Amino acid sequence: MSVALALKQVFRRWSYVLSAILLALASFVFLMLIPNYRLISSVFGDSGLPFGLKLRFLIYLISGAAESFSLLAVANTIIVSALFAVNAVLIIYFLKERLTGLGGKAFVSIFGGSASGVLSAGCAACGSFALSAILSALGAGGALALLPL
């Protein structure tokens, strides 16, 4: 199936379009606010400030992004957010279509394989480091001998 055909088929449904828009907005807001996480945590940690003032503060931070970032950085963030949302919606559609009619064992094995792929993604050193930290936290200290460290 070509990419254009898959996009037409998925985004014909309004639920996927709305999900993509909301996910793109959420990821854009997250990416715009993440450089100021210390300031945000101190403002939201102050119990003396009213909640409405805290929300206005977040809105000012997002609207002031054009002044604190270059136009190219804001445009790049918008594009990355949109592509992330489209990719996530396509993955959700693909999983819904493929998992329909599968039994519980097939779903568990697919989920387990995906989770282990996420844990070992990246370079060989980083992937084995993340996996070894999780395995050792689960009490599998002997698993370090199996990893290529």
Side-chain angles (χ1 to χ4, degrees):
M1 178 185 309
S2 72
V3 175
L5 182 61
L7 286 172
K8 284 181 186 177
Q9 187 175 1
V10 171
F11 289 106
R12 208 178 305 157
R13 300 178 187 168
W14 284 103
S15 61
Y16 288 115
V17 173
L18 183 64
S19 298
I21 291 170
L22 291 176
L23 190 58
L25 284 173
S27 65
F28 176 75
V29 167
F30 177 75
L31 290 173
M32 284 290 121
L33 293 179
I34 200 71
N36 299 314
Y37 73 93
R38 288 188 180 130
L39 179 63
I40 293 168
S41 65
S42 67
V43 167
F44 275 84
D46 187 6
S47 61
L49 294 174
F51 188 70
L53 187 64
K54 293 176 184 179
L55 288 180
R56 276 192 285 164
F57 170 72
L58 288 178
I59 292 170
Y60 290 143
L61 274 179
I62 294 169
S63 64
E67 294 159 7
S68 61
F69 297 111
S70 68
L71 182 62
L72 183 62
V74 173
N76 186 27
T77 305
I78 291 171
I79 291 169
V80 165
S81 297
L83 290 175
F84 170 73
V86 168
N87 191 29
V89 168
L90 286 173
I91 288 172
I92 291 169
Y93 174 79
F94 176 74
L95 286 175
K96 279 186 175 180
E97 291 296 315
R98 296 288 185 219
L99 296 179
T100 312
L102 291 178
K105 288 184 179 181
F107 179 75
V108 169
S109 66
I110 290 171
F111 181 75
S114 299
S116 66
V118 166
L119 290 176
S120 63
C123 65
C126 301
S128 62
F129 176 73
L131 188 60
S132 66
I134 291 171
L135 287 175
S136 64
L138 295 174
L144 289 175
L146 300 175
L147 298 173
L149 296 176

